[in-house]
Amino acid sequence: MTGRVEARLSELGLVLPETAAPAGVYVPAVRSSRYVFTAGQLPLVDGKLPLTGKVGAEVTAEEAQDLARTCALNAVAAVKSVVRDLDRVARIVKVTGFVASAPDFTGQPGVLNGASELLGEVFGEQGRHARSAVGVAVLPLDAPVEVELQVEIDGWDD
């Protein structure tokens, strides 16, 4: 039987990707008590970056916002890899986003709106969260955006 969150993903025409293999010595997500913390998720689609470069130079803010949505979807997949049932998500607590930015680009919050909007569409009120949007010089693989989540979970069945 499909859960509420999985049904919502389907309504939105979204499919959770396979959790991306780590690019280093870490795991995609880890549980600690009632929380799941994801590693930074890049906007990989079928294992590849659709765009590379700096936002405000090679990548537009609008393109980066779409990439942030992809990052958030990848992060949700990482959460599911740990909790198995996304209906256990009590709340998306915090989103941290990194934007590889051209020196004069200051639109990082707008880029991260892509991730925040996706989480709101998928989780409703439970998707409202605190957030940091940070401009950086470069990200792994020359990705324009990276997103990580902190998620509170209900009903652990240890």
Side-chain angles (χ1 to χ4, degrees):
M1 178 177 220
T2 301
R4 172 185 52 81
V5 174
E6 298 271 353
R8 182 64 182 145
L9 284 164
S10 181
E11 286 172 20
L12 294 168
L14 299 172
V15 176
L16 281 182
E18 292 294 319
T19 304
V25 184
Y26 62 90
V27 294
V30 67
R31 170 190 159 201
S32 179
S33 186
R34 291 176 41 113
Y35 296 91
V36 172
F37 300 84
T38 71
Q41 299 294 310
L42 299 178
L44 296 170
V45 176
D46 297 325
K48 297 181 179 156
L49 288 172
L51 293 171
T52 59
K54 308 292 180 283
V55 181
E58 300 87 4
V59 179
T60 68
E62 294 77 20
E63 290 170 327
Q65 191 175 62
D66 287 341
L67 294 171
R69 284 181 67 87
T70 302
C71 291
L73 190 62
N74 290 343
V76 171
V79 170
K80 184 177 179 186
S81 75
V82 173
V83 302
R84 295 177 306 281
D85 180 0
L86 290 173
D87 287 353
R88 290 176 143 182
V89 172
R91 163 164 229 118
I92 306 296
V93 177
K94 175 101 188 259
V95 173
T96 304
F98 304 94
V99 180
S101 303
D104 61 345
F105 182 74
T106 60
Q108 292 84 3
V111 169
L112 267 294
N113 283 346
S116 294
E117 289 168 359
L118 176 116
L119 295 168
E121 291 167 9
V122 171
F123 292 100
E125 187 61 28
Q126 288 99 338
R128 293 177 47 93
H129 53 269
R131 187 180 81 189
S132 297
V134 182
V136 297
V138 68
L139 289 168
L141 306 177
D142 201 24
V145 184
E146 181 175 338
V147 171
E148 60 184 46
L149 302 181
Q150 297 174 17
V151 179
E152 183 180 6
I153 302 300
D154 276 338
W156 284 113
D157 58 356
D158 293 324

